[in-house]
Amino acid sequence: ERYGYRLLEQRKRTASAQDRVRFGVGGRATVLALRCRHEAEGQPFAIEDRLINVQAVPDVLKQDFSITPPNTWLVGHVPWTEAEHRITACNADNDIAAELGIELGAACLVIERQTWRNAEPITAVRIVHPGQLYDLIARFTPTG
């Protein structure tokens, strides 16, 4: 499907208490906070909330994320040594419902990812998808 992307918000700021817990950065750390919408055939399929550790990735402040999605840029420019994924669900709040074009309270799939380079936090991202677009299946057999 035809991909679309839109940067909704970008702010350089000192890490908040919530950021420090979520991201594991120090109290004086500077982060670049990004909020983006991803689309397929003109329909929203993901809202991305991302933090990037400016100390670990100083070149991030020179990037134009109105054109290039942050993950695309990070994968091409910033090596990492460790990553963690967390998959959960949530119900759409007012903002998510409006941005994804779904009903308030609709089920959503949430993927949170964090990456590090030699124990230094690089990025933390939370991506929310409309739940009805996904079907997670695992098939396995018992071991002997």
Side-chain angles (χ1 to χ4, degrees):
E1 296 179 337
R2 184 177 36 91
Y3 174 74
Y5 161 80
R6 181 169 178 210
L7 177 65
L8 302 174
E9 183 180 348
Q10 177 174 329
R11 282 188 324 176
K12 175 185 159 190
R13 59 179 169 75
T14 301
S16 68
Q18 183 179 1
D19 296 339
R20 292 191 298 271
V21 169
R22 173 183 170 202
F23 196 23
V25 293
R28 294 185 175 179
T30 301
V31 296
L32 184 64
L34 302 159
R35 187 166 178 92
C36 315
R37 183 175 60 226
H38 301 270
E39 300 175 352
E41 295 299 332
Q43 297 300 311
F45 75 86
I47 296 296
E48 171 182 348
D49 282 305
R50 182 180 293 273
L51 297 175
I52 301 172
N53 181 358
V54 173
Q55 179 180 330
V57 190
D59 286 348
V60 75
L61 298 177
K62 299 174 188 172
Q63 302 314 306
D64 184 356
F65 291 113
S66 67
I67 297 171
T68 303
N71 190 65
T72 301
W73 182 81
L74 285 162
V75 167
H77 293 88
V78 182
W80 52 273
T81 58
E82 185 178 356
E84 176 182 278
H85 276 156
R86 179 174 182 238
I87 300 171
T88 59
C90 74
N91 296 104
D93 62 16
N94 286 328
D95 291 338
I96 292 292
E99 290 167 337
L100 289 177
I102 59 178
E103 291 185 26
L104 179 65
C108 296
L109 174 71
V110 180
I111 301 173
E112 294 174 291
R113 180 175 60 246
Q114 187 164 353
T115 58
W116 297 266
R117 182 176 48 232
N118 301 323
E120 180 178 38
I122 299 294
T123 187
V125 63
R126 181 176 191 262
I127 305 171
V128 180
H129 302 271
Q132 79 274 8
L133 298 180
Y134 293 88
D135 186 12
L136 302 176
I137 299 171
R139 177 183 271 188
F140 49 90
T141 59
T143 58

